[in-house]
PDB file of all heavy atoms in Angstrom:
ATOM      1  N   THR A1625      49.738  34.226 -94.856  1.00  0.00           N
ATOM      2  CA  THR A1625      49.400  35.649 -94.947  1.00  0.00           C
ATOM      3  C   THR A1625      50.088  36.444 -93.836  1.00  0.00           C
ATOM      4  O   THR A1625      50.625  37.530 -94.065  1.00  0.00           O
ATOM      5  CB  THR A1625      47.881  35.850 -94.859  1.00  0.00           C
ATOM      6  OG1 THR A1625      47.250  35.094 -95.894  1.00  0.00           O
ATOM      7  CG2 THR A1625      47.503  37.314 -95.005  1.00  0.00           C
ATOM      8  N   TYR A1626      50.060  35.900 -92.625  1.00  0.00           N
ATOM      9  CA  TYR A1626      50.683  36.575 -91.482  1.00  0.00           C
ATOM     10  C   TYR A1626      52.192  36.702 -91.684  1.00  0.00           C
ATOM     11  O   TYR A1626      52.795  37.750 -91.400  1.00  0.00           O
ATOM     12  CB  TYR A1626      50.371  35.793 -90.203  1.00  0.00           C
ATOM     13  CG  TYR A1626      51.007  36.334 -88.951  1.00  0.00           C
ATOM     14  CD1 TYR A1626      51.002  37.699 -88.663  1.00  0.00           C
ATOM     15  CD2 TYR A1626      51.610  35.468 -88.037  1.00  0.00           C
ATOM     16  CE1 TYR A1626      51.581  38.183 -87.504  1.00  0.00           C
ATOM     17  CE2 TYR A1626      52.185  35.948 -86.876  1.00  0.00           C
ATOM     18  CZ  TYR A1626      52.171  37.301 -86.613  1.00  0.00           C
ATOM     19  OH  TYR A1626      52.748  37.780 -85.460  1.00  0.00           O
ATOM     20  N   ALA A1627      52.833  35.643 -92.220  1.00  0.00           N
ATOM     21  CA  ALA A1627      54.272  35.681 -92.465  1.00  0.00           C
ATOM     22  C   ALA A1627      54.625  36.737 -93.510  1.00  0.00           C
ATOM     23  O   ALA A1627      55.630  37.452 -93.378  1.00  0.00           O
ATOM     24  CB  ALA A1627      54.774  34.308 -92.899  1.00  0.00           C
ATOM     25  N   GLN A1628      53.807  36.842 -94.557  1.00  0.00           N
ATOM     26  CA  GLN A1628      54.039  37.868 -95.569  1.00  0.00           C
ATOM     27  C   GLN A1628      53.930  39.264 -94.966  1.00  0.00           C
ATOM     28  O   GLN A1628      54.734  40.152 -95.269  1.00  0.00           O
ATOM     29  CB  GLN A1628      53.037  37.714 -96.708  1.00  0.00           C
ATOM     30  CG  GLN A1628      53.345  36.582 -97.671  1.00  0.00           C
ATOM     31  CD  GLN A1628      52.432  36.619 -98.872  1.00  0.00           C
ATOM     32  OE1 GLN A1628      51.247  36.904 -98.753  1.00  0.00           O
ATOM     33  NE2 GLN A1628      52.979  36.333-100.046  1.00  0.00           N
ATOM     34  N   GLN A1629      52.944  39.460 -94.115  1.00  0.00           N
ATOM     35  CA  GLN A1629      52.759  40.764 -93.473  1.00  0.00           C
ATOM     36  C   GLN A1629      53.961  41.103 -92.592  1.00  0.00           C
ATOM     37  O   GLN A1629      54.458  42.237 -92.605  1.00  0.00           O
ATOM     38  CB  GLN A1629      51.481  40.752 -92.635  1.00  0.00           C
ATOM     39  CG  GLN A1629      51.128  42.091 -92.006  1.00  0.00           C
ATOM     40  CD  GLN A1629      49.919  42.002 -91.108  1.00  0.00           C
ATOM     41  OE1 GLN A1629      49.968  41.415 -90.036  1.00  0.00           O
ATOM     42  NE2 GLN A1629      48.817  42.573 -91.559  1.00  0.00           N
ATOM     43  N   GLU A1630      54.446  40.129 -91.833  1.00  0.00           N
ATOM     44  CA  GLU A1630      55.601  40.352 -90.975  1.00  0.00           C
ATOM     45  C   GLU A1630      56.859  40.625 -91.800  1.00  0.00           C
ATOM     46  O   GLU A1630      57.680  41.470 -91.438  1.00  0.00           O
ATOM     47  CB  GLU A1630      55.821  39.141 -90.067  1.00  0.00           C
ATOM     48  CG  GLU A1630      54.800  38.996 -88.966  1.00  0.00           C
ATOM     49  CD  GLU A1630      54.879  40.146 -87.983  1.00  0.00           C
ATOM     50  OE1 GLU A1630      55.866  40.238 -87.234  1.00  0.00           O
ATOM     51  OE2 GLU A1630      53.943  40.980 -87.974  1.00  0.00           O
ATOM     52  N   MET A1631      57.010  39.939 -92.928  1.00  0.00           N
ATOM     53  CA  MET A1631      58.157  40.166 -93.795  1.00  0.00           C
ATOM     54  C   MET A1631      58.145  41.590 -94.342  1.00  0.00           C
ATOM     55  O   MET A1631      59.171  42.278 -94.371  1.00  0.00           O
ATOM     56  CB  MET A1631      58.160  39.152 -94.939  1.00  0.00           C
ATOM     57  CG  MET A1631      59.367  39.267 -95.859  1.00  0.00           C
ATOM     58  SD  MET A1631      60.901  38.750 -95.045  1.00  0.00           S
ATOM     59  CE  MET A1631      60.608  36.982 -94.917  1.00  0.00           C
ATOM     60  N   ASN A1632      56.972  42.039 -94.784  1.00  0.00           N
ATOM     61  CA  ASN A1632      56.852  43.410 -95.286  1.00  0.00           C
ATOM     62  C   ASN A1632      57.194  44.433 -94.201  1.00  0.00           C
ATOM     63  O   ASN A1632      57.840  45.445 -94.457  1.00  0.00           O
ATOM     64  CB  ASN A1632      55.432  43.657 -95.805  1.00  0.00           C
ATOM     65  CG  ASN A1632      55.122  42.868 -97.052  1.00  0.00           C
ATOM     66  OD1 ASN A1632      56.032  42.439 -97.772  1.00  0.00           O
ATOM     67  ND2 ASN A1632      53.843  42.638 -97.317  1.00  0.00           N
ATOM     68  N   HIS A1633      56.755  44.135 -92.978  1.00  0.00           N
ATOM     69  CA  HIS A1633      57.044  45.045 -91.863  1.00  0.00           C
ATOM     70  C   HIS A1633      58.548  45.096 -91.578  1.00  0.00           C
ATOM     71  O   HIS A1633      59.115  46.180 -91.361  1.00  0.00           O
ATOM     72  CB  HIS A1633      56.283  44.586 -90.618  1.00  0.00           C
ATOM     73  CG  HIS A1633      56.570  45.404 -89.396  1.00  0.00           C
ATOM     74  ND1 HIS A1633      56.120  46.698 -89.237  1.00  0.00           N
ATOM     75  CD2 HIS A1633      57.287  45.121 -88.269  1.00  0.00           C
ATOM     76  CE1 HIS A1633      56.527  47.167 -88.073  1.00  0.00           C
ATOM     77  NE2 HIS A1633      57.238  46.235 -87.470  1.00  0.00           N
ATOM     78  N   LEU A1634      59.200  43.938 -91.587  1.00  0.00           N
ATOM     79  CA  LEU A1634      60.638  43.903 -91.333  1.00  0.00           C
ATOM     80  C   LEU A1634      61.422  44.620 -92.430  1.00  0.00           C
ATOM     81  O   LEU A1634      62.404  45.322 -92.154  1.00  0.00           O
ATOM     82  CB  LEU A1634      61.108  42.456 -91.221  1.00  0.00           C
ATOM     83  CG  LEU A1634      60.687  41.707 -89.955  1.00  0.00           C
ATOM     84  CD1 LEU A1634      61.069  40.242 -90.061  1.00  0.00           C
ATOM     85  CD2 LEU A1634      61.304  42.334 -88.716  1.00  0.00           C
ATOM     86  N   GLN A1635      60.990  44.459 -93.679  1.00  0.00           N
ATOM     87  CA  GLN A1635      61.664  45.147 -94.779  1.00  0.00           C
ATOM     88  C   GLN A1635      61.495  46.665 -94.649  1.00  0.00           C
ATOM     89  O   GLN A1635      62.425  47.423 -94.932  1.00  0.00           O
ATOM     90  CB  GLN A1635      61.105  44.654 -96.115  1.00  0.00           C
ATOM     91  CG  GLN A1635      61.527  43.239 -96.452  1.00  0.00           C
ATOM     92  CD  GLN A1635      60.862  42.718 -97.709  1.00  0.00           C
ATOM     93  OE1 GLN A1635      59.768  43.168 -98.067  1.00  0.00           O
ATOM     94  NE2 GLN A1635      61.504  41.787 -98.389  1.00  0.00           N
ATOM     95  N   HIS A1636      60.326  47.089 -94.207  1.00  0.00           N
ATOM     96  CA  HIS A1636      60.097  48.525 -93.986  1.00  0.00           C
ATOM     97  C   HIS A1636      60.996  49.048 -92.877  1.00  0.00           C
ATOM     98  O   HIS A1636      61.601  50.128 -93.004  1.00  0.00           O
ATOM     99  CB  HIS A1636      58.627  48.755 -93.634  1.00  0.00           C
ATOM    100  CG  HIS A1636      58.305  50.188 -93.313  1.00  0.00           C
ATOM    101  ND1 HIS A1636      58.339  51.197 -94.258  1.00  0.00           N
ATOM    102  CD2 HIS A1636      57.951  50.788 -92.137  1.00  0.00           C
ATOM    103  CE1 HIS A1636      58.017  52.350 -93.684  1.00  0.00           C
ATOM    104  NE2 HIS A1636      57.774  52.125 -92.404  1.00  0.00           N
ATOM    105  N   GLN A1637      61.128  48.287 -91.793  1.00  0.00           N
ATOM    106  CA  GLN A1637      62.005  48.691 -90.703  1.00  0.00           C
ATOM    107  C   GLN A1637      63.460  48.737 -91.155  1.00  0.00           C
ATOM    108  O   GLN A1637      64.231  49.609 -90.730  1.00  0.00           O
ATOM    109  CB  GLN A1637      61.845  47.721 -89.524  1.00  0.00           C
ATOM    110  CG  GLN A1637      60.490  47.783 -88.841  1.00  0.00           C
ATOM    111  CD  GLN A1637      60.235  49.126 -88.210  1.00  0.00           C
ATOM    112  OE1 GLN A1637      61.093  49.700 -87.533  1.00  0.00           O
ATOM    113  NE2 GLN A1637      59.042  49.673 -88.425  1.00  0.00           N
ATOM    114  N   GLN A1638      63.831  47.815 -92.035  1.00  0.00           N
ATOM    115  CA  GLN A1638      65.199  47.806 -92.549  1.00  0.00           C
ATOM    116  C   GLN A1638      65.486  49.063 -93.365  1.00  0.00           C
ATOM    117  O   GLN A1638      66.555  49.661 -93.265  1.00  0.00           O
ATOM    118  CB  GLN A1638      65.409  46.555 -93.409  1.00  0.00           C
ATOM    119  CG  GLN A1638      66.792  46.418 -94.011  1.00  0.00           C
ATOM    120  CD  GLN A1638      67.853  46.151 -92.956  1.00  0.00           C
ATOM    121  OE1 GLN A1638      67.529  45.622 -91.901  1.00  0.00           O
ATOM    122  NE2 GLN A1638      69.085  46.493 -93.238  1.00  0.00           N
ATOM    123  N   ARG A1639      64.524  49.469 -94.188  1.00  0.00           N
ATOM    124  CA  ARG A1639      64.699  50.679 -94.990  1.00  0.00           C
ATOM    125  C   ARG A1639      64.821  51.914 -94.108  1.00  0.00           C
ATOM    126  O   ARG A1639      65.647  52.796 -94.356  1.00  0.00           O
ATOM    127  CB  ARG A1639      63.534  50.839 -95.982  1.00  0.00           C
ATOM    128  CG  ARG A1639      63.582  49.855 -97.143  1.00  0.00           C
ATOM    129  CD  ARG A1639      62.596  50.238 -98.229  1.00  0.00           C
ATOM    130  NE  ARG A1639      61.219  50.145 -97.756  1.00  0.00           N
ATOM    131  CZ  ARG A1639      60.470  49.051 -97.881  1.00  0.00           C
ATOM    132  NH1 ARG A1639      60.982  47.970 -98.440  1.00  0.00           N
ATOM    133  NH2 ARG A1639      59.228  49.046 -97.464  1.00  0.00           N
ATOM    134  N   LEU A1640      64.010  51.975 -93.050  1.00  0.00           N
ATOM    135  CA  LEU A1640      64.101  53.106 -92.131  1.00  0.00           C
ATOM    136  C   LEU A1640      65.457  53.156 -91.445  1.00  0.00           C
ATOM    137  O   LEU A1640      66.055  54.230 -91.295  1.00  0.00           O
ATOM    138  CB  LEU A1640      62.981  53.018 -91.082  1.00  0.00           C
ATOM    139  CG  LEU A1640      61.558  53.293 -91.556  1.00  0.00           C
ATOM    140  CD1 LEU A1640      60.572  53.150 -90.399  1.00  0.00           C
ATOM    141  CD2 LEU A1640      61.444  54.693 -92.160  1.00  0.00           C
ATOM    142  N   ALA A1641      65.947  51.975 -91.033  1.00  0.00           N
ATOM    143  CA  ALA A1641      67.252  51.928 -90.374  1.00  0.00           C
ATOM    144  C   ALA A1641      68.348  52.390 -91.325  1.00  0.00           C
ATOM    145  O   ALA A1641      69.278  53.106 -90.930  1.00  0.00           O
ATOM    146  CB  ALA A1641      67.535  50.504 -89.882  1.00  0.00           C
ATOM    147  N   SER A1642      68.244  51.998 -92.599  1.00  0.00           N
ATOM    148  CA  SER A1642      69.240  52.407 -93.582  1.00  0.00           C
ATOM    149  C   SER A1642      69.213  53.914 -93.796  1.00  0.00           C
ATOM    150  O   SER A1642      70.262  54.557 -93.911  1.00  0.00           O
ATOM    151  CB  SER A1642      68.985  51.678 -94.903  1.00  0.00           C
ATOM    152  OG  SER A1642      69.913  52.080 -95.884  1.00  0.00           O
TER     153      SER A1642
END
Side-chain angles (χ1 to χ4, degrees):
T1625 303
Y1626 177 45
Q1628 283 188 321
Q1629 185 184 70
E1630 288 295 290
M1631 183 69 70
N1632 292 339
H1633 177 71
L1634 288 173
Q1635 289 175 334
H1636 177 68
Q1637 293 297 315
Q1638 180 68 25
R1639 287 192 295 268
L1640 289 179
S1642 178

